[in-house]
Amino acid sequence: MTAISLPLFTITHQSKFSLPPVSRLPNKPFSLPSIFYNAAAASRGAKPVRASTSEPASTKSAETIAVENADSEESTLFVIRARNQIGLLQVITRVFKVLGLSIDKASIEFEGEFFIKKFFVTDSHGNKIVDEESLEKIRNALMDAIGDGGDGDVVGSATRGVTVRRPASGLVSGERKAKAERMFALMDGFQKNDPMSLQKDILNHVEYTVARSRFSFDDFEAYQGLSHSVRDRLIERWHDTQLHFKREDPKRVYFLSLEYLMGRSLSNSVINLGIRDEYAEALNELGFELEVLAEQEGDAALGNGGLARLSACQLDSLATLDYPAWGYGLRYQYGLFRQLILDGFQHEQPDYWLNFGNPWEIERVHVTYPVKFYGTVEEELVDGRKSRVWIPAETVEAVAYDNPIPGYGTRNTITLRLWAAKPSDHYDMESYNTGDYINAVVDRQKAETISSVLYPDDRSHQGKELRLKQQYFFVSASTQDIIRRFKDAHDNFDEFPQKVALQLNDTHPSLAIAEIMRVLIDEENLDWDRAWGIVCKIFSFTTHTVLAEGLEKIPVDLLGSLLPRHLEIIYDINFKFMEDLKKKVGLDYSRLSRMSIVEDGAVKSIRSANLSIVCSHTVNGVSKVHFELLKTKVFKDFYELWPEKFQYKTNGVTQRRWIVVSNPSLCDLITKWLGTEAWIRNVDLLTGLREYATDAVLQQEWKMVRRVNKMRLAEYIEVLSGLKVSLDAMFDVQIKRIHEYKRQLLNILGIIHRYDCIKNMNESDRRKVVPRVCIIGGKAAPGYEIAKKIIKLCHVVADKINNNSDIGDLLKLVFIPDYNVSVAELVIPGADLSQHLSTAGHEASGTGSMKFLMNGCLLLATADGSTVEIIEEIGSENLFLFGAKLDEVPTLRERGPNMKVNLQFARVVRMIRDGYFGFQDYFESLCDTVEADKDFYLLGSDFGSYLEAQAAADKAFVDQDKWTEMSILSAAGSGRFSSDRTIQEYAEKTWGIEACRCPF
């Protein structure tokens, strides 16, 4: 096979650049491989797309391919007019190469957003192509390669390679039909799941995917081979699900969230696929353990806390309940930082979670969209009417990375699509034209920065700009993908609300509203009223905020610079809203100002929450308490205007992750006593445990399961810190993000009080003390100094307690660093008591308490967030409540300076102030935050009640039979707090979607 160099392309208004050489195939008669045909048209029952030779290359509306044989005696001229696309030149040259053709010369001209590409081509003998049938085949192959795809997921505007499509039955004939039938015969069965087949699969992946010898590989390489084997089975179901959705064309929900805490995927996947035992057996015969290999997987820390983990649970439930859904987010190169503790101080390190690859994602290089920034807006006449046209100054590409999300007990496997930012081809062309290689590299880095870091530090202007870029990049790519998928099957946007529901997970994706308005008006040429009517029917908004001052705002100057057209649209939305509002509330300027989307002030800003409320048909709270706060405080003005818009769906967590995966022993025990595994999909069946709560046999088995889980946690603590803890002690846990309102400081002050009491007891009194192992874990935001001081305080107190021989096993304090989903899966099953201490009115929901509840852990909590509903479900007698109620908090804050100080509280704070634990000066500002006139979160006010609740927990723990009964009743009452119930409520009351189950 000989190779020839392709002559330089001539580019109008651009400098020259060269493409890779195209190889000639061996001399043989020209024939077109049978894989090329227009499957997209065929699947709709249409004839293949063909370009007429008489069609001019300057057609304004679509891609065209023309053939001109008169201009040259030596070669055939193909004139291709197509939209400017990443990698399109490579696509075309590769098509010619696959067809055995050679390109003698070529040129490119720009025409607006289109390229005019001319290729002088000869056949494998170096001759001009004159046979009409061969020319027609070449045209169809080229059109198919640059077209819009046939699987519902190929994006014509960004195809990077030749698209090869599966022939459809009945649409081909002769030799091609025979080849199609052969292909289907090879692929008509599902992957086999017997242990022998799984072993062969794993070893093949070890050798051919991981490139290690099947006779010598370690645990990590075994994990990689295992993961790819599991992924094969996920992809099989995933393809079937997407084809089923496309065929049925149901209304779909698109879940927009900037954060996801998915945790590890291996264990969850094999359980949801229903083949865990088969894999365990296959691995055992190879000399490996499934549990050990599962530990090799790292966490994808693409979120900050509860909101991100909630998103992951909801995707699991959407898949399990067979709802047609897509999740969208960002593929951060660096997730939430890794927390290192050095000498008790938190240090942040980048989380290089992609360093060793991610076997669960599929890079969709053919699914890319241009995302534009900056520039100007100009007015043009289009079809006789004035239109606003955005002329951007910067373009980056959004590349899709798909993560299959399997449902449990169903074939349905849905998609979490994460976007990564890549430089546009425009960067490369601009830079290479001037020979500016350095600028090309800088531009590439600048583009990729957009999806680099979760939560960039937004204290500077550059940080704020990057955060806004992330938000728009995310929603622009997602909405382009959503609209493209809709247009694949529909051509009337009036049908958009019947096929699309868009869920805004908090205010981060709120720019999607302005973006869809822009697309409908500027690109699809709908008038304002029609576009506005569509937008108001497709969006629903869930807020997780409890304080109005915590709501997101975007500076107008920044938005106007980065997204000038979107600012215009938001101003127009606000103007029309204000005019309508004046008709309803009159000239109440104070109320008009509060409800305006645009906030005037020292820094003029866009209120993202107000924009989301005005443009959404439903506004959701996440618990009953949160709903009341939204109605009476946070969005009081909007609730009075539109009470019908406001709903609440209490958040939930998935029992598959938080019992089946993380606590398999408890899972087996529950199944044994209920006599069915059906509770894994229908978690309400857990209430059946109530009738056995006092059964001595169940109690004994329940205790044994809990003790085994405590052993695992104790071993982890010893490996982590070298500290041995007693299994007879109460494992008292508080793991969550470190924040003043979550009151980890209250917990530490309580531990200091307990330590002080034990230290001053005589020996006989000490024998009556219930031993405790207090476990705290969580990360402080990098710029949150008070939270970091709380972490340091925890460590110095632990040093004092754990090294005091008089205390012994009566009290231990452990801080677990780098808390994440995988750590939670170990800690939660081993906990006896879980503390949820937020000041009433500050926790929107609190899903952490639900995970502990499902695992039979007792709660010590304030009546805040979802705890109020937990009380309703399991009874106040089965948990330990303390602290001020929601309606008491404002009064207590007003009385703050005049309140009588709790003497026990004053003593422990004084111990810190006086340097009993060292670092006297360092902790001074921390102690200042709990002084009577500064104690915003009411630690001093609630301290006495907190100690009483702790004493009640001690008393209950002594009676292990009673404690176990309470534990069983906690798990039995947790069904209401499953994300399955939450998603079903959203589907029925908000999104209007129905299950679309993929047949087996």
Side-chain angles (χ1 to χ4, degrees):
M1 185 180 296
T2 58
I4 61 169
S5 296
L6 182 68
L8 292 179
F9 277 71
T10 302
I11 306 179
T12 305
H13 306 307
Q14 300 285 345
S15 297
K16 296 179 179 181
F17 69 103
S18 60
L19 288 179
V22 177
S23 300
R24 288 183 184 271
L25 295 179
N27 289 341
K28 60 181 179 180
F30 172 80
S31 63
L32 180 68
S34 61
I35 58 173
F36 293 101
Y37 77 108
N38 195 325
S43 65
R44 297 190 291 268
K47 294 180 179 179
V49 175
R50 298 175 185 237
S52 169
T53 55
S54 62
E55 187 173 19
S58 58
T59 302
K60 300 294 182 184
S61 59
E63 289 85 357
T64 60
I65 298 172
V67 177
E68 298 178 9
N69 257 333
D71 292 350
S72 172
E73 295 182 358
E74 299 177 352
S75 58
T76 301
L77 172 60
F78 286 86
V79 181
I80 301 173
R81 180 181 187 274
R83 292 183 185 277
N84 186 356
Q85 307 167 17
I86 281 185
L88 184 57
L89 293 176
Q90 289 89 332
V91 172
I92 296 169
T93 54
R94 188 176 169 197
V95 170
F96 285 131
K97 178 180 176 180
V98 170
L99 300 182
L101 306 175
S102 298
I103 303 173
D104 293 333
K105 61 180 178 177
S107 66
I108 303 175
E109 298 176 1
F110 290 99
E111 185 184 280
E113 62 178 321
F114 287 87
F115 276 173
I116 308 298
K117 307 172 183 65
K118 296 181 180 180
F119 296 88
F120 291 86
V121 177
T122 58
D123 66 13
S124 57
H125 298 284
N127 299 324
K128 182 177 180 178
I129 305 163
V130 294
D131 178 64
E132 193 62 37
E133 182 179 354
S134 295
L135 290 171
E136 188 70 7
K137 288 180 179 180
I138 297 169
R139 279 196 300 266
N140 287 340
L142 288 167
M143 182 61 76
D144 198 36
I146 68 173
D148 65 356
D151 64 354
D153 212 24
V154 176
V155 182
S157 64
T159 306
R160 291 177 181 269
V162 174
T163 304
V164 180
R165 295 181 177 81
R166 183 182 302 174
S169 177
L171 298 175
V172 291
S173 60
E175 183 182 353
R176 285 200 293 179
K177 181 175 181 180
K179 290 182 178 179
E181 288 173 352
R182 175 177 173 78
M183 185 167 63
F184 279 116
L186 292 171
M187 299 295 294
D188 68 350
F190 295 125
Q191 294 268 18
K192 295 179 180 178
N193 294 324
D194 60 280
M196 182 67 74
S197 298
L198 295 178
Q199 287 173 356
K200 184 178 180 181
D201 246 14
I202 293 168
L203 292 175
N204 279 342
H205 277 297
V206 166
E207 184 144 351
Y208 300 118
T209 305
V210 185
R212 292 290 293 171
S213 168
R214 65 179 63 199
F215 302 107
S216 177
F217 56 97
D218 60 21
D219 282 349
F220 181 69
E221 289 152 356
Y223 156 72
Q224 289 179 301
L226 170 61
S227 298
H228 281 93
S229 171
V230 175
R231 193 183 83 157
D232 289 346
R233 285 149 180 82
L234 284 176
I235 290 175
E236 189 175 64
R237 295 179 177 221
W238 182 45
H239 283 160
D240 289 349
T241 303
Q242 299 311 313
L243 287 171
H244 180 66
F245 287 168
K246 184 171 185 181
R247 183 166 54 247
E248 297 297 319
D249 193 26
K251 183 177 183 179
R252 307 188 198 195
V253 62
Y254 296 99
F255 192 86
L256 304 181
S257 177
L258 263 183
E259 296 185 47
Y260 293 91
L261 274 176
M262 302 305 295
R264 293 170 173 164
S265 294
L266 176 58
S267 295
N268 190 70
S269 295
V270 296
I271 286 172
N272 279 12
L273 290 171
I275 49 178
R276 184 195 178 282
D277 292 343
E278 289 84 348
Y279 266 113
E281 182 181 343
L283 288 166
N284 284 336
E285 293 177 1
L286 292 174
F288 295 93
E289 294 182 28
L290 178 59
E291 291 77 11
V292 173
L293 298 191
E295 291 294 320
Q296 300 295 316
E297 183 176 357
D299 274 41
L302 303 182
N304 187 45
L307 178 145
R309 183 55 222 167
L310 170 69
S311 301
C313 287
Q314 291 182 331
L315 288 184
D316 178 90
S317 292
L318 282 163
T320 297
L321 299 178
D322 302 315
Y323 288 119
W326 282 68
Y328 285 103
L330 279 186
R331 181 183 180 265
Y332 302 103
Q333 186 175 355
Y334 306 108
L336 187 62
F337 62 88
R338 288 186 61 233
Q339 181 191 51
L340 293 183
I341 303 296
L342 300 176
D343 193 27
F345 292 96
Q346 172 180 294
H347 294 266
E348 302 88 27
Q349 281 196 345
D351 177 18
Y352 300 104
W353 73 283
L354 289 171
N355 264 11
F356 299 101
N358 178 15
W360 306 104
E361 68 181 10
I362 298 99
E363 183 180 13
R364 298 300 218 181
V365 293
H366 60 281
V367 183
T368 73
Y369 296 97
V371 179
K372 303 168 185 178
F373 300 103
Y374 306 109
T376 58
V377 181
E378 298 181 0
E379 196 170 84
E380 292 184 2
L381 280 176
V382 178
D383 297 330
R385 66 185 182 92
K386 292 181 180 179
S387 295
R388 303 290 289 170
V389 177
W390 179 23
I391 303 173
E394 179 181 301
T395 301
V396 299
E397 294 293 331
V399 180
Y401 288 78
D402 286 350
N403 299 260
I405 308 295
Y408 179 89
T410 176
R411 194 162 185 79
N412 280 44
T413 300
I414 62 173
T415 308
L416 169 60
R417 176 161 283 177
L418 303 177
W419 301 106
K422 305 291 182 183
S424 168
D425 270 1
H426 293 297
Y427 283 131
D428 297 335
M429 293 177 69
E430 291 274 349
S431 300
Y432 284 121
N433 286 343
T434 59
D436 193 349
Y437 172 75
I438 298 300
N439 270 349
V441 174
V442 170
D443 285 339
R444 182 175 189 88
Q445 292 175 334
K446 184 178 177 183
E448 293 177 346
T449 298
I450 294 174
S451 58
S452 287
V453 183
L454 170 69
Y455 279 118
D457 188 347
D458 61 359
R459 288 174 291 181
S460 65
H461 175 81
Q462 291 84 355
K464 287 183 173 66
E465 182 179 59
L466 178 56
R467 183 65 176 159
L468 184 58
K469 267 192 167 183
Q470 281 188 341
Q471 292 181 355
Y472 178 67
F473 173 82
F474 156 57
V475 302
S476 174
S478 301
T479 54
Q480 286 183 75
D481 199 44
I482 292 164
I483 290 172
R484 187 267 307 165
R485 190 172 295 110
F486 171 79
K487 290 175 71 173
D488 279 349
H490 305 274
D491 55 12
N492 183 356
F493 270 98
D494 292 331
E495 300 174 10
F496 203 55
Q498 283 75 56
K499 295 298 177 182
V500 171
L502 279 166
Q503 172 64 34
L504 304 177
N505 192 28
D506 222 337
T507 57
H508 308 136
S510 61
L511 285 173
I513 294 166
E515 173 67 357
I516 288 191
M517 281 295 291
R518 183 191 68 80
V519 172
L520 294 180
I521 294 169
D522 295 354
E523 297 181 7
E524 301 297 335
N525 298 316
L526 274 62
D527 62 55
W528 178 277
D529 291 339
R530 187 179 171 198
W532 179 246
I534 292 169
V535 164
C536 290
K537 292 175 184 175
I538 61 175
F539 281 101
S540 56
F541 167 51
T542 296
T543 178
H544 301 264
T545 306
V546 293
L547 298 173
E549 51 267 32
L551 294 169
E552 182 182 21
K553 297 174 185 177
I554 305 172
V556 163
D557 288 346
L558 177 59
L559 184 61
S561 169
L562 192 68
L563 303 168
R565 179 62 179 133
H566 297 75
L567 181 60
E568 287 185 352
I569 289 171
I570 291 171
Y571 270 132
D572 288 343
I573 291 172
N574 192 54
F575 175 78
K576 294 174 186 298
F577 169 57
M578 287 287 102
E579 291 302 304
D580 288 342
L581 189 59
K582 288 175 187 176
K583 297 174 184 176
K584 297 176 181 178
V585 304
L587 298 180
D588 183 346
Y589 291 110
S590 176
R591 184 173 182 184
L592 291 171
S593 176
R594 292 194 303 269
M595 297 180 72
S596 173
I597 296 170
V598 181
E599 179 185 58
D600 289 314
V603 178
K604 198 170 188 177
S605 302
I606 300 299
R607 295 169 168 143
S608 297
N610 290 19
L611 174 66
S612 301
I613 294 171
V614 169
C615 303
S616 296
H617 57 77
T618 306
V619 180
N620 293 286
V622 293
S623 70
K624 186 184 293 185
V625 168
H626 187 224
F627 183 56
E628 291 302 315
L629 286 171
L630 296 182
K631 292 195 305 183
T632 58
K633 293 183 178 179
V634 185
F635 299 134
K636 182 175 182 291
D637 292 317
F638 286 102
Y639 178 76
E640 291 174 353
L641 179 66
W642 294 312
E644 71 283 355
K645 271 193 182 188
F646 286 78
Q647 301 177 1
Y648 81 92
K649 287 97 175 169
T650 301
N651 284 341
V653 298
T654 169
Q655 64 275 17
R656 270 117 12 218
R657 169 71 68 170
W658 296 109
I659 301 180
V660 183
V661 172
S662 64
N663 200 344
S665 300
L666 182 62
C667 172
D668 292 342
L669 184 60
I670 292 171
T671 297
K672 172 187 171 182
W673 281 85
L674 293 181
T676 178
E677 289 185 341
W679 66 271
I680 300 175
R681 272 183 66 98
N682 182 8
V683 75
D684 290 338
L685 295 175
L686 284 178
T687 56
L689 290 173
R690 286 173 176 163
E691 62 180 286
Y692 306 114
T694 57
D695 187 289
V697 177
L698 174 58
Q699 286 203 1
Q700 186 60 35
E701 293 177 350
W702 196 273
K703 291 176 188 175
M704 183 59 65
V705 166
R706 295 199 58 75
R707 190 168 185 85
V708 169
N709 289 331
K710 290 177 72 172
M711 288 174 63
R712 290 171 56 223
L713 179 53
E715 290 172 1
Y716 178 74
I717 291 171
E718 185 174 0
V719 170
L720 194 69
S721 64
L723 184 68
K724 291 187 176 182
V725 298
S726 170
L727 296 179
D728 295 323
M730 180 197 298
F731 281 20
D732 173 0
V733 175
Q734 186 184 21
I735 46 174
K736 52 186 68 198
R737 180 165 48 94
I738 309 294
H739 198 288
E740 287 174 276
Y741 90 81
K742 293 180 182 289
R743 300 203 292 189
Q744 285 91 351
L745 181 56
L746 178 63
N747 187 0
I748 297 170
L749 295 176
I751 292 168
I752 294 173
H753 172 75
R754 179 178 288 268
Y755 162 76
D756 190 42
C757 290
I758 295 172
K759 188 168 62 70
N760 291 297
M761 285 179 181
N762 58 43
E763 193 61 35
S764 61
D765 287 336
R766 285 182 184 175
R767 285 195 288 268
K768 301 174 185 177
V769 171
V770 174
R772 291 251 188 149
V773 176
C774 299
I775 301 168
I776 296 176
K779 297 180 180 180
Y784 195 174
E785 288 303 319
I786 292 296
K788 288 187 171 184
K789 290 185 177 185
I790 292 172
I791 291 174
K792 176 60 177 175
L793 179 63
C794 180
H795 282 86
V796 297
V797 172
D799 287 342
K800 181 72 73 172
I801 293 172
N802 298 340
N803 294 311
N804 191 317
S805 57
D806 293 337
I807 302 298
D809 285 340
L810 293 181
L811 183 63
K812 298 293 183 186
L813 175 57
V814 180
F815 185 90
I816 294 183
D818 205 32
Y819 172 65
N820 57 26
V821 175
S822 298
V823 173
E825 291 174 13
L826 177 67
V827 173
I828 291 173
D832 293 306
L833 183 73
S834 174
Q835 298 198 40
H836 303 272
L837 312 181
S838 58
T839 311
H842 286 75
E843 191 73 83
S845 175
T847 53
S849 59
M850 303 171 187
K851 299 163 193 170
F852 284 98
L853 193 73
M854 283 182 173
N855 282 272
C857 179
L858 273 56
L859 306 183
L860 189 151
T862 53
D864 194 25
S866 59
T867 302
V868 173
E869 291 160 81
I870 290 175
I871 296 168
E872 294 173 358
E873 197 65 23
I874 69 172
S876 59
E877 68 278 8
N878 289 311
L879 70 166
F880 308 102
L881 292 170
F882 79 98
K885 304 295 189 296
L886 179 62
D887 57 347
E888 298 170 344
V889 169
T891 303
L892 289 171
R893 282 181 175 150
E894 289 176 9
R895 289 171 49 198
N898 302 315
M899 284 182 60
K900 185 178 179 180
V901 178
N902 181 290
L903 295 180
Q904 295 162 316
F905 181 77
R907 176 174 171 79
V908 296
V909 173
R910 177 55 56 187
M911 290 174 69
I912 300 170
R913 273 198 186 278
D914 290 347
Y916 183 85
F917 301 99
F919 298 88
Q920 183 175 0
D921 294 339
Y922 182 74
F923 291 128
E924 183 178 357
S925 61
L926 180 61
C927 293
D928 288 343
T929 64
V930 295
E931 289 297 326
D933 58 339
K934 300 176 183 176
D935 189 10
F936 183 78
Y937 295 105
L938 304 179
L939 277 73
S941 173
D942 281 352
F943 193 70
S945 175
Y946 177 68
L947 295 183
E948 291 173 4
Q950 290 283 13
D954 283 337
K955 183 178 179 181
F957 193 75
V958 172
D959 184 350
Q960 277 293 293
D961 290 342
K962 179 61 178 175
W963 185 276
T964 304
E965 179 187 349
M966 296 168 70
S967 174
I968 295 169
L969 290 173
S970 294
S974 65
R976 176 175 168 184
F977 306 101
S978 167
S979 52
D980 291 354
R981 186 263 318 146
T982 308
I983 287 301
Q984 194 162 353
E985 289 182 4
Y986 270 108
E988 295 172 357
K989 300 178 181 179
T990 299
W991 301 328
I993 61 172
E994 296 179 353
C996 185
R997 188 178 180 87
C998 181
F1000 277 88

